[in-house]
Amino acid sequence: MKSAMSFDKVLEYIEENLYEDICLDQLASAAGYSKYHFLRLFKKTFDMTPLEYVRRRRITESARDLADTDELISQIGYKHGFNSKENFTRAFQSEHHICPSEYRMTDNSLKLLHRNKPEQDALTLVPTITVLEPFSATVFQSDEEEPARFWNKYNCGGFSKRLSGGTAQMDYGFSVWNFEQGKLDYYAGILTEYAKGNVSGTIQLNVNGGLYAVFDTPKADKYTFVNTIRRTWDYIMHEWIPQSAYEYLGDCDFETYRECSREFSEQIFIHIRKRKEG
């Protein structure tokens, strides 16, 4: 219990001093730990160092100003604790793999680190079980470890309309198990039947038909959309599948949404089959 209560105090201290020079000694003191134990527990709890947490919080708040104000990028950088436009651009690009100017132009959804909030209500989602026919998609293979960062490139690069020849189409993201390398590969693109534009650099992905569980992510906004998607995937994998009457095949799952719709909800398709009794 001590660590949970101490981190509440630490996160409150960070928010109150977000744009000040924060050092580990101050945070450890707020937590009531030695610097060594504080750093070890913080990294274990948040999967990042305290100073990485501070940097990501500053970048998150800067993203709001980039999207919602007309302030100069340099002014936004200074406002959020960066001593030059170049340092701000470098930090933003390191976090999201796009420039602040690209984000401002497209206003796409980002994976952000929000101010610590009370626990959210547990998800309870009821999927639609449906049978899909095989289909084909024309896709780019991700060169990122995190799909969210690849979607940043995809949206800011206008890849969807490039593929379609200028029309708005439903975008698909595929998680495909690579049996040779024993890992998941990720792809993004549109249905091949609508790929009438520039398809250079793409591959054609043939998706098996069969039984799928289809989940609608809870409604969100542009600031919480990516985190809501991650939360929905966690619910599917750790709660719904183990308790369902279905086996998870894990060969190819996919998600669909239209960034330009600004509805900030997507559908997630999970490839399944009926669980054998006994």
Side-chain angles (χ1 to χ4, degrees):
M1 292 297 294
K2 180 184 177 184
S3 63
M5 293 186 65
S6 296
F7 281 128
D8 285 343
K9 293 179 181 178
V10 168
L11 297 181
E12 182 179 343
Y13 180 88
I14 288 174
E15 294 304 324
E16 290 175 353
N17 299 275
L18 189 58
Y19 302 115
E20 306 297 329
D21 289 331
I22 300 176
C23 69
L24 282 178
D25 289 327
Q26 294 168 316
L27 297 178
S29 177
Y33 287 106
S34 70
K35 185 162 65 172
Y36 170 79
H37 286 293
F38 168 70
L39 182 59
R40 180 176 60 83
L41 288 171
F42 194 99
K43 288 179 70 174
K44 182 178 179 181
T45 302
F46 296 99
D47 198 29
M48 68 185 85
T49 68
L51 297 185
E52 286 172 334
Y53 181 95
V54 171
R55 179 184 60 82
R56 289 188 61 192
R57 281 290 301 120
R58 290 175 175 175
I59 292 172
T60 289
E61 294 307 310
S62 74
R64 292 179 179 274
D65 282 346
L66 286 167
D68 297 338
T69 76
D70 294 325
E71 291 181 81
L72 295 175
I73 291 176
S74 57
Q75 292 176 327
I76 292 172
Y78 285 123
K79 176 180 176 180
H80 293 284
F82 299 92
N83 58 15
S84 70
K85 180 181 178 181
E86 291 72 25
N87 283 342
F88 172 53
T89 297
R90 194 157 40 241
F92 194 95
Q93 193 165 21
S94 175
E95 180 67 22
H96 298 298
H97 292 200
I98 55 173
C99 296
S101 57
E102 292 178 303
Y103 170 63
R104 170 168 269 179
M105 187 179 303
T106 58
D107 195 19
N108 62 289
S109 310
L110 296 176
K111 182 181 179 182
L112 300 172
L113 179 63
H114 299 287
R115 180 172 182 160
N116 196 47
K117 296 179 180 178
E119 279 295 316
Q120 297 171 299
D121 293 336
L123 282 181
T124 302
L125 301 175
V126 179
T128 300
I129 307 300
T130 188
V131 176
L132 297 182
E133 295 296 323
F135 66 93
S136 171
T138 299
V139 297
F140 296 95
Q141 183 169 2
S142 172
D143 59 354
E144 296 283 353
E145 290 187 9
E146 289 190 13
R149 285 175 169 169
F150 186 63
W151 279 111
N152 292 344
K153 292 180 178 179
Y154 183 91
N155 290 320
C156 288
F159 287 7
S160 184
K161 287 191 174 181
R162 169 183 155 186
L163 291 178
S164 70
T167 63
Q169 296 295 334
M170 184 73 74
D171 290 307
Y172 287 67
F174 297 91
S175 299
V176 180
W177 185 253
N178 185 325
F179 289 95
E180 291 184 2
Q181 299 183 24
K183 68 180 183 69
L184 276 177
D185 290 332
Y186 194 82
Y187 304 86
I190 65 175
L191 294 180
T192 298
E193 61 191 282
Y194 300 118
K196 303 182 184 300
N198 182 353
V199 298
S200 59
T202 65
I203 65 170
Q204 185 168 302
L205 187 65
N206 296 316
V207 180
N208 293 328
L211 198 63
Y212 285 81
V214 186
F215 295 82
D216 291 294
T217 62
K219 290 289 186 180
D221 59 31
K222 64 185 175 184
Y223 300 119
T224 59
F225 183 38
V226 176
N227 291 328
T228 298
I229 294 171
R230 183 68 267 163
R231 191 168 169 237
T232 304
W233 275 102
D234 287 343
Y235 168 80
I236 294 169
M237 295 300 172
H238 301 302
E239 297 189 46
W240 185 82
I241 289 175
Q243 299 174 22
S244 75
Y246 301 93
E247 293 181 23
Y248 173 56
L249 297 183
D251 54 345
C252 178
D253 305 312
F254 62 96
E255 48 200 351
T256 66
Y257 87 117
R258 294 177 190 264
E259 177 74 29
C260 63
S261 73
R262 317 311 284 168
E263 292 180 357
F264 303 109
S265 179
E266 74 169 23
Q267 287 192 315
I268 296 175
F269 293 72
I270 304 296
H271 199 192
I272 57 173
R273 67 185 170 199
K274 194 74 174 177
R275 199 182 300 274
K276 296 178 181 178
E277 296 184 5

